[in-house]
């Protein structure tokens, strides 16, 4: 089943407040959610764009996943998330297609979503996330 | 004025047919357009995802913009495009905000669109494109 939408584009940034200001000033994008997740070492803020979002991601520490990404690549696009209706079924289908999954089962994500990541090796270098409303 | 949508996510790939096969197999994404633009050294294929698209971009040569990107970064996310109603007005507004523009005027893009690129330095490392229906 094709995804319903690009749920969000995940973007790693050095400074969340500056980035929110930029997206507001340049694109008129409005804050939808903002959340700190200490377990994942990330502070996230989503700005809405139509049915989609840009999810700005700042690292809580250099050793967090976003911190390591920023050290290696600098700020920029980090992942893309597709919204699906039935996440568990899609994961089972991807597995049967031989796609390498980072998360074999849905896990809790930001804003009450269920999420799972697909390895970039399976998608030509693009870290891809599937999300569904929990 | 806020963009209406993420028009597309531009992704650089090594092999367009393989990438189309992957996006079809993993995400059920269907081909919407395919176009070769020798002037820009690119062959592009867009697959639809809701109101948005993934635009797969293959290089026609190593010295093309996508060829250079692939040599430097490998396959992966290249740019994001926002759909706006009035491209010329948005460019004038961005310019008045001091944002560095790659294209100061709308120019013809793929599939009959009018497009302009904003420099990644202006958007925290994300090459950003504005598009409007021509």
């Amino acid at each position: 089943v094709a995804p319903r939408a690009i749920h969000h584009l995940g973007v790693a940034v050095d400074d969340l407040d500056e980035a929110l200001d930029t997206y507001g000033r340049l694109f008129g994008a409005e804050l939808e959610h903002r959340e700190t997740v200490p377990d994942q070492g990330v502070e996230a803020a989503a700005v809405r764009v139509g049915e989609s979002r840009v999810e700005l991601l700042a690292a809580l520490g250099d050793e967090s996943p976003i911190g390591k990404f920023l050290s290696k690549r600098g700020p920029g696009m980090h992942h893309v998330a597709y919204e699906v209706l039935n996440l568990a079924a899609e994961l089972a289908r991807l597995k049967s297609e031989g796609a390498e999954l980072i998360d074999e089962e849905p896990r809790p994500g930001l804003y009450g979503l269920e999420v799972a990541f697909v390895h970039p090796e399976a998608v030509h270098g693009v870290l891809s996330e599937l999300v569904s409303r929990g």
Side-chain angles (χ1 to χ4, degrees), chain A:
Chain A
V1 183
R4 295 161 58 87
I6 291 182
H7 183 273
H8 64 264
L9 174 67
V11 172
V13 301
D14 282 324
D15 184 301
L16 198 56
D17 290 312
E18 277 183 22
L20 277 170
D21 177 67
T22 299
Y23 277 83
R25 218 162 28 79
L26 299 190
F27 305 126
E30 286 186 24
L31 182 65
E32 188 181 43
H33 296 288
R34 182 166 180 159
E35 192 171 325
T36 300
V37 189
D39 279 2
Q40 295 175 34
V42 72
E43 185 177 5
V47 296
R48 192 73 187 246
V49 182
E51 72 181 11
S52 193
R53 294 150 194 85
V54 178
E55 182 176 273
L56 303 166
L57 301 163
L60 296 180
D62 292 346
E63 291 305 307
S64 65
I66 296 297
K68 288 179 185 171
F69 179 91
L70 287 166
S71 300
K72 192 175 166 192
R73 308 281 300 242
M77 291 184 282
H78 179 266
H79 69 270
V80 59
Y82 299 106
E83 183 178 339
V84 298
L85 280 178
N86 186 332
L87 178 54
E90 287 302 310
L91 289 175
R93 199 178 57 72
L94 289 179
K95 209 170 167 181
S96 76
E97 289 281 354
E100 189 178 347
L101 304 178
I102 294 174
D103 301 299
E104 303 221 339
E105 303 290 335
R107 63 176 175 81
L110 293 169
Y111 328 128
L113 297 167
E114 295 274 284
V115 309
F117 280 89
V118 183
H119 199 285
E121 289 294 319
V123 201
H124 303 266
V126 178
L127 177 59
S128 301
E129 181 183 10
L130 299 180
V131 312
S132 66
R133 294 167 199 199

